[in-house]
Amino acid sequence: MLDVAEVQKLLEPLFPGLMGVRLLELSPERVLAEMTVRPDLCTTGGIMHGGAYMAFADTLGAVGTLVNLPSGKGTTTTDSSTKFIAGAKVHTRVLGETKALHRGRTTMVWQTNVTNSDGKLCAVVTQTQLVLEPRS
């Protein structure tokens, strides 16, 4: 199984690395990560942008799937639903915890809770990841 350091190294040159996603824990059933709410990830009023929540959660679901993939297979998101509940202020930290709802042969479904630095639930994201066959 891939470990936190290996997956973090994969993320660094990609969009999640640009956003500052930091993996904390990784298992086949759960991924835990954090991200600092920077001004460039915010909307007016210094509140984290909805797209940043979605991208953060999408990353965690994809990482969860990656950990579960058979050798040579890939993944892509096919569906995502976000419920916004509260805000996260600039210069604070958000925590994302994703849990597997379904880990199948052709799809995996993940639910991510994003909380702010006060521990308040900010967003709930449910996504489906398609398991892709190796490219020829």
Side-chain angles (χ1 to χ4, degrees):
M1 183 180 101
L2 295 168
D3 68 18
V4 170
E6 289 174 297
V7 178
Q8 187 70 51
K9 187 174 178 180
L10 290 173
L11 296 180
E12 286 306 319
L14 305 173
F15 185 63
L18 181 66
M19 289 181 57
V21 174
R22 291 178 303 278
L23 298 173
L24 302 173
E25 295 178 26
L26 189 60
S27 75
E29 300 84 22
R30 178 177 172 266
V31 177
L32 187 67
E34 65 180 3
M35 184 173 75
T36 299
V37 182
R38 303 184 322 243
D40 59 329
L41 298 175
C42 289
T43 187
T44 57
I47 301 297
M48 188 164 144
H49 190 283
Y53 284 107
M54 295 165 74
F56 181 45
D58 184 66
T59 297
L60 302 188
V63 165
T65 300
L66 177 69
V67 170
N68 284 280
L69 286 176
S71 181
K73 295 207 176 183
T75 186
T76 190
T77 306
T78 62
D79 181 72
S80 182
S81 172
T82 304
K83 305 298 181 215
F84 298 106
I85 298 164
K89 295 177 184 175
V90 68
H91 304 301
T92 64
R93 179 184 61 92
V94 289
L95 189 66
E97 179 183 34
T98 191
K99 292 184 180 178
L101 300 179
H102 167 73
R103 292 180 299 144
R105 184 179 49 82
T106 59
T107 61
M108 298 191 197
V109 180
W110 298 87
Q111 183 169 300
T112 303
N113 290 341
V114 180
T115 55
N116 64 21
S117 57
D118 295 327
K120 186 169 185 177
L121 184 63
C122 294
V124 177
V125 180
T126 305
Q127 72 193 79
T128 303
Q129 294 287 132
L130 181 64
V131 175
L132 301 171
E133 293 299 321
R135 292 182 184 176
S136 51

